[in-house]
Amino acid sequence: MVEPHSTTPPKPVADPASPASAPSFAAYPPDHVLRGIADRMDDGMLMFNVRGEVAMANRAVRELFGVTGEDAAGLGRRLEELLPPSAVSSATETGCWSGSLPLGERVVILQLYHHGEGREQAWLALFRHIDGQEDYEHELQRRHAELRQAYLRLNGAQEKLLQSEKMASIGQLAAGVAHEINNPIGYVHSNLGSLQEYLRSLFTVIEAYERALRAPDPKAMVAEIDDIRDRLDIDFISRDLPQLMAESREGIERVTRIVRDLKDFSYSGREESWKLADPHAGLDSTINIIWNELKYKVTLERRYGELPMIECLPSELNQVYMNMLLNAGHAIGERGNITVSTGAVGDEVWIEFKDDGAGISPELRQRIFDPFFTTKPVGSGTGLGLSISYGIINKHHGRIDVESTVGEGSRFRIVLPIRQPKG
Ligand SMILES: Nc1ncnc2c1ncn2[C@@H]1O[C@H](COP(=O)(O)OP(=O)(O)OP(=O)(O)O)[C@@H](O)[C@H]1O
Ligand SMILES: [Mg+2]
C-alpha cells in the first residue's frame, strides 16, 4: 500500500503525558515564555479575556500605564474602562480598530483586535507611543496649513479655469451670436422702412378724406379717393400692417432673448448662488445661443419630460449643456441628429444628449474626461469641455454616464439630484 503524501510538520517536543496521535500542547510556548517575548516588545500589549479582564500586560504597557510589578492584574481595570467604548464596540464588530488615544500627557496610537465569539473571545490591544510629541504635532500642523494653502490655491485656479473656458467658448460663439442678432435686426430694419412707406400712403389718404370733408360736395370726391386708395394699395397695407408689426415685435423679442441668454450664460461662477431652476429653461436658452453653430447640419429634437425645479447653479449647468451640444455637433460630419431628452425618476432628474455622429472607441472612452484630452485639431479644442463638465456635475452631486458606438453615435446622460444633500 502506498502511503498518502504529506508534508512533514516541525517535530513537536515529545510530551509523555499525551497519546502519540493527539496534538501535543506542550509544544506550544508555555505562558512564561509568551510573557517573556511580549516583555521584549517596544510596543505595549494588552490581552483581554472573555470577561474583558486583563489577561496579559507586557512591560511596555505597564510602563505606559505607570504600574509596577509583574502582575497583569496590576492594571486592575477592565477593557471598557481602559479603552474608549466606541473603539471596543467597533473592534468587536469588525475585528479591528485603530486610532489615537490620549494617555496622560501623551498621545498613543492604538490598534485593537478582536477574535472569537460566545465564551471564546479575546481582545488584543497594541499601543505605540510617539516620541517628541510636540514636534510631531508641530509637523502635523505645518503640513495641514500647507495642504490648506495648496487646496485654496487649487480651488482658485480651478475657478479661473472654469471662467476662462467659459469665456473662450463665448468668444468662439460670439460670431454666431452676432449673426443670430443681426438676422432679426435686419428684418426689423427693413420692416421699419416699409412702415414708413405705409405711413406716407396712409397720410395721403387721410389728407384726401380731409379735403373731401371740407369740400361743398364731398360725394363728388369719392371717385378720386377710391382712385388714390387703389393707387396706394391701401387694402394691401391694412392687411400687411398687423403682420409687419407682429414680425418686428418677434424680432425684437428674439434679440432681447439672445441678450438675456448670453447674460445668464456669462454669469460668473464666483457670484452665482444655488437656486431652484427649471432645467428646460437652461437647455432652451443654451440651444438658442449655440443654434447658429448647429443649424446648418443638425436636426435637433427635444423630448422633454415633466421636470421639477432643481437646486443648482444654473449658469454652470448651462455650460455643461453647451459642451454636450457642441461636442455632439462636432461629432456629426455632414448632417445628423441630436436628441435632447429629459425625465425624472425618484429624487433625481436626467438629461440626455444623443447624437448619431462619429462615436467614441472604447480606448478613447477611458480618456475623454481627462483635462486637455482632445481629438480635435490644434487650436480648435482645448480638451477641457468634458473635464469641466464632470467637475460641475460632481459639484451638483450628480453623475455623467456615457454610451457610445463607433459609427453609430454617442449618448451622454447626466443625472442630477432634485435637492442638494444638506451641508
Ligand atoms: N458626442 C461625442 N461624440 C464623439 N466624440 C466625443 C463626443 N463628446 C466628446 N467626444 C470626444 O471627447 C474629446 C474630449 O471632449 P471635450 O469636450 O473634453 O474636449 P473638446 O471638445 O475636444 O475641446 P473643448 O470642449 O475644450 O473645446 C473630444 O475631443 C472628442 O474626441
Ligand atoms: Mg468639447
Side-chain angles (χ1 to χ4, degrees):
M1 207 174 95
V2 183
E3 284 280 291
H5 176 79
S6 66
T7 48
T8 332
K11 264 215 169 87
V13 177
D15 180 359
S18 64
S21 57
S24 166
F25 287 103
Y28 290 19
D31 209 38
H32 69 275
V33 176
L34 260 186
R35 285 172 193 274
I37 290 178
D39 280 349
R40 291 203 181 279
M41 290 166 58
D42 284 335
D43 291 345
M45 188 188 107
L46 264 182
M47 185 85 138
F48 297 91
N49 66 16
V50 66
R51 290 188 294 275
E53 298 156 349
V54 175
M56 190 195 288
N58 73 348
R59 178 191 47 80
V61 95
R62 291 195 301 271
E63 280 170 17
L64 208 58
F65 281 88
V67 288
T68 48
E70 293 290 298
D71 191 8
L75 275 167
R77 288 170 293 168
R78 294 161 55 85
L79 178 62
E80 284 88 354
E81 295 164 343
L82 284 166
L83 304 179
S86 59
V88 175
S89 61
S90 167
T92 310
E93 210 169 282
T94 64
C96 90
W97 181 90
S98 64
S100 57
L101 186 73
L103 208 65
E105 299 283 282
R106 290 163 155 177
V107 175
V108 293
I109 305 227
L110 164 68
Q111 281 167 314
L112 180 62
Y113 300 92
H114 168 260
H115 183 73
E117 51 189 37
R119 293 160 65 92
E120 293 185 352
Q121 298 186 64
W123 289 262
L124 171 72
L126 293 177
F127 298 83
R128 171 169 296 171
H129 66 83
I130 306 152
D131 282 330
Q133 188 54 37
E134 269 179 22
D135 289 350
Y136 178 73
E137 273 173 17
H138 261 128
E139 179 65 12
L140 265 186
Q141 269 167 6
R142 193 181 61 79
R143 287 196 194 173
H144 179 256
E146 253 177 33
L147 272 178
R148 206 178 146 65
Q149 280 291 330
Y151 170 76
L152 290 176
R153 272 204 304 273
L154 264 180
N155 232 5
Q158 198 218 12
E159 230 159 69
K160 273 197 203 120
L161 197 63
L162 197 83
Q163 192 61 10
S164 63
E165 158 83 1
K166 192 157 36 177
M167 287 306 160
S169 330
I170 288 177
Q172 267 177 34
L173 292 171
V177 170
H179 180 269
E180 282 298 275
I181 290 181
N182 240 354
N183 223 7
I185 295 256
Y187 66 71
V188 169
H189 188 255
S190 109
N191 284 359
L192 277 177
S194 310
L195 204 62
Q196 202 172 5
E197 292 276 298
Y198 292 173
L199 275 178
R200 203 172 295 138
S201 305
L202 285 172
F203 279 124
T204 311
V205 176
I206 290 173
E207 256 170 45
Y209 278 117
E210 275 182 345
R211 261 187 290 120
L213 273 178
R214 291 200 188 93
D217 180 10
K219 278 206 177 131
M221 291 194 65
V222 170
E224 192 191 329
I225 290 175
D226 282 347
D227 194 40
I228 293 174
R229 283 188 62 125
D230 281 351
R231 191 164 42 83
L232 298 177
D233 215 350
I234 296 300
D235 289 344
F236 172 79
I237 290 179
S238 53
R239 277 199 312 274
D240 195 37
L241 249 183
Q243 204 177 327
L244 200 90
M245 295 301 290
E247 221 176 57
S248 307
R249 174 161 293 144
E250 200 229 51
I252 301 280
E253 273 163 12
R254 243 174 82 190
V255 173
T256 314
R257 205 171 55 220
I258 292 169
V259 170
R260 191 197 53 216
D261 290 345
L262 258 187
K263 235 167 69 192
D264 276 0
F265 206 91
S266 56
Y267 208 119
S268 161
R270 213 178 261 277
E271 297 154 32
E272 190 171 30
S273 57
W274 292 87
K275 49 174 85 84
L276 290 181
D278 172 12
H280 292 150
L283 281 167
D284 288 340
S285 67
T286 307
I287 292 171
N288 271 341
I289 288 181
I290 62 160
W291 186 232
N292 197 58
E293 292 274 308
L294 302 176
K295 66 182 174 195
Y296 298 109
K297 58 175 181 179
V298 169
T299 308
L300 187 124
E301 193 192 337
R302 292 173 228 221
R303 291 194 198 152
Y304 289 175
E306 286 275 314
L307 288 193
M309 304 278 265
I310 65 168
E311 193 179 346
C312 61
L313 299 167
S315 89
E316 295 205 3
L317 286 187
N318 287 354
Q319 200 185 353
V320 176
Y321 306 150
M322 183 185 81
N323 283 322
M324 297 290 154
L325 289 162
L326 287 179
N327 282 350
H330 291 151
I332 290 171
E334 295 274 293
R335 271 219 70 86
N337 298 285
I338 298 179
T339 312
V340 183
S341 326
T342 63
V345 180
D347 50 8
E348 291 177 332
V349 301
W350 56 267
I351 300 158
E352 191 179 273
F353 300 85
K354 180 171 167 282
D355 66 70
D356 54 4
I360 309 164
S361 69
E363 305 82 68
L364 292 192
R365 163 73 196 76
Q366 314 278 328
R367 303 172 57 199
I368 54 172
F369 289 99
D370 293 351
F372 304 109
F373 175 78
T374 178
T375 54
K376 292 169 191 169
V378 179
S380 65
T382 58
L384 282 175
L386 281 180
S387 76
I388 286 178
S389 301
Y390 184 88
I392 294 173
I393 297 304
N394 218 8
K395 199 188 221 180
H396 283 76
H397 302 94
R399 55 185 189 276
I400 307 182
D401 301 324
V402 186
E403 276 173 32
S404 187
T405 312
V406 174
E408 285 183 20
S410 314
R411 185 195 291 262
F412 284 77
R413 191 184 176 98
I414 294 167
V415 181
L416 292 167
I418 293 170
R419 290 287 176 280
Q420 291 298 310
K422 294 242 152 39

